[in-house]
């Protein structure tokens, strides 16, 4: 698939996410809140729409890429925050490393677990960079469910490639107050993963991207008309944080 058509498909994924998931954003601190422990989105119809029109078609592209590449030393995987670390940004931040991007917008911890073998481990990478969990929180998933999925992802990687190094990125701050209120709890869990899994490092992102006076993303990283994602300056922070591990 040409880069133009590939970008068109990804824009379609983003549009699906806006229509399918935005209205299901939940406030964990609301007295009436009930967390969701099931797979996918809260609405199964919207989740099926996302899978069939976005997630599955994009994975077919990744399959073709993997067959062409055969192997990759470093693979970045995760949701739209990983997906938007575009090739030109990767080259800028990692000029001496060929980092292969296997992010998919809208990915959840359970869908990443579903695809980790084919999309990532089939490339036999020696280093895997993971950023995942934000969409689970947008869906109001139970923290225990997200954490179990994340541990299952790491266990699967270690089962298949015990010597692989895994870099787990913190979920960054956003412009969404109720997400910023719960993300630190999830990041605290992520920060403890190196004690449970050999060859795992946690990379803090929240600290440098947060407003020093408020629990929200710094203005300099804000992406216009987008409360969730950040601009190129945010990826400069990612690059600076990740480079010492590569």
């Amino acid at each position: 698939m040409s880069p133009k058509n590939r970008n068109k498909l990804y824009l379609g994924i983003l549009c699906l996410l806006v229509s399918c998931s935005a209205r299901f954003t939940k406030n964990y601190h609301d007295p009436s809140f009930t967390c969701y422990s099931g797979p996918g989105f809260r609405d199964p119809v919207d989740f099926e729409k996302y899978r069939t029109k976005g997630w599955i078609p994009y994975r077919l592209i990744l399959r073709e890429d993997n067959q062409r590449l055969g192997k990759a030393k470093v693979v970045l995987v995760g949701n739209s925050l990983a997906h938007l670390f575009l090739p030109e940004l990767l080259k800028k931040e990692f000029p001496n490393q060929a980092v292969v991007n296997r992010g998919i917008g809208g990915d959840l911890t359970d869908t990443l677990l579903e695809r980790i073998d084919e999309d990532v481990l089939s490339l036999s990478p020696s280093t895997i960079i993971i950023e995942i969990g934000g969409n689970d929180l947008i869906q109001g998933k139970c923290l225990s469910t997200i954490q179990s999925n994340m541990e299952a992802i790491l266990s699967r990687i270690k089962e298949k490639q015990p010597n692989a190094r895994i870099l787990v990125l913190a979920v960054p701050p956003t412009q969404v107050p109720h997400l910023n209120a719960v993300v630190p709890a999830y990041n605290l869990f992520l920060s403890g993963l190196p004690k449970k899994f050999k060859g795992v490092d946690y990379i803090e992102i929240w600290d440098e991207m947060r407003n020093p006076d408020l629990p929200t993303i710094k203005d300099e990283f804000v992406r216009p008309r987008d409360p969730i994602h950040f601009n190129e300056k945010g990826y400069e922070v990612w690059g600076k944080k990740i480079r010492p591990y590569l």
Side-chain angles (χ1 to χ4, degrees):
M1 179 179 286
S2 69
K4 182 179 180 180
N5 288 336
R6 185 170 182 155
N7 290 338
K8 186 176 181 180
L9 175 56
Y10 181 56
L11 288 174
I13 293 174
L14 290 182
C15 289
L16 281 169
L17 293 176
V18 170
S19 64
C20 293
S21 64
R23 67 179 181 272
F24 293 113
T25 301
K26 299 294 178 178
N27 186 346
Y28 283 78
H29 301 282
D30 191 308
S32 63
F33 172 77
T34 301
C35 69
Y36 172 58
S37 61
F41 301 161
R42 283 179 178 257
D43 188 310
V45 174
D46 279 349
F47 182 60
E48 184 61 22
K49 184 190 299 182
Y50 162 70
R51 281 183 65 95
T52 56
K53 294 187 177 181
W55 192 78
I56 292 174
Y58 201 80
R59 287 197 62 207
L60 293 177
I61 296 174
L62 299 184
R63 180 184 298 173
E64 293 177 359
D65 281 354
N66 284 3
Q67 290 172 348
R68 175 179 54 82
L69 287 173
K71 287 189 175 183
K73 185 177 180 181
V74 183
V75 175
L76 167 67
V77 70
N79 52 37
S80 55
L81 294 178
H83 199 152
L84 286 170
F85 209 149
L86 301 175
E88 58 269 24
L89 296 177
L90 288 171
K91 290 179 182 178
K92 176 184 174 184
E93 297 303 322
F94 310 107
N96 300 317
Q97 292 280 357
V99 179
V100 173
N101 193 330
R102 290 295 176 260
I104 299 181
D107 224 6
L108 305 153
T109 52
D110 55 301
T111 55
L112 177 55
L113 177 60
E114 181 181 344
R115 72 184 183 92
I116 194 74
D117 280 39
E118 182 177 0
D119 294 0
V120 178
L121 298 181
S122 64
L123 293 170
S124 301
S126 56
T127 300
I128 301 171
I129 307 166
I130 302 176
E131 197 286 326
I132 197 71
N135 289 319
D136 296 76
L137 298 174
I138 287 175
Q139 291 295 325
K141 289 202 173 187
C142 301
L143 289 175
S144 59
T145 299
I146 309 172
Q147 292 169 186
S148 295
N149 288 341
M150 187 64 190
E151 290 184 343
I153 290 168
L154 299 186
S155 294
R156 185 61 175 171
I157 294 172
K158 286 301 178 180
E159 175 189 344
K160 289 285 189 174
Q161 293 178 224
N163 295 323
R165 188 177 194 183
I166 306 170
L167 308 179
V168 176
L169 301 184
V171 175
T174 67
Q175 296 180 73
V176 182
H178 57 268
L179 282 180
N180 291 336
V182 70
V183 164
Y186 177 61
N187 284 343
L188 182 62
F189 157 75
L190 294 179
S191 70
L193 290 175
K195 295 180 180 179
K196 298 181 179 180
F197 294 88
K198 184 179 179 181
V200 172
D201 289 292
Y202 170 74
I203 300 180
E204 181 58 76
I205 299 294
W206 176 278
D207 57 352
E208 191 159 337
M209 298 188 72
R210 179 184 63 82
N211 185 311
D213 298 318
L214 300 169
T216 187
I217 193 168
K218 288 181 181 178
D219 291 343
E220 66 187 276
F221 301 128
V222 169
R223 189 183 182 98
R225 299 176 299 280
D226 188 338
I228 299 294
H229 307 101
F230 47 81
N231 59 25
E232 291 186 12
K233 288 187 177 180
Y235 289 105
E236 291 177 3
V237 174
W238 277 33
K240 182 178 71 173
K241 293 277 191 172
I242 296 170
R243 278 194 299 272
Y245 294 88
L246 300 183

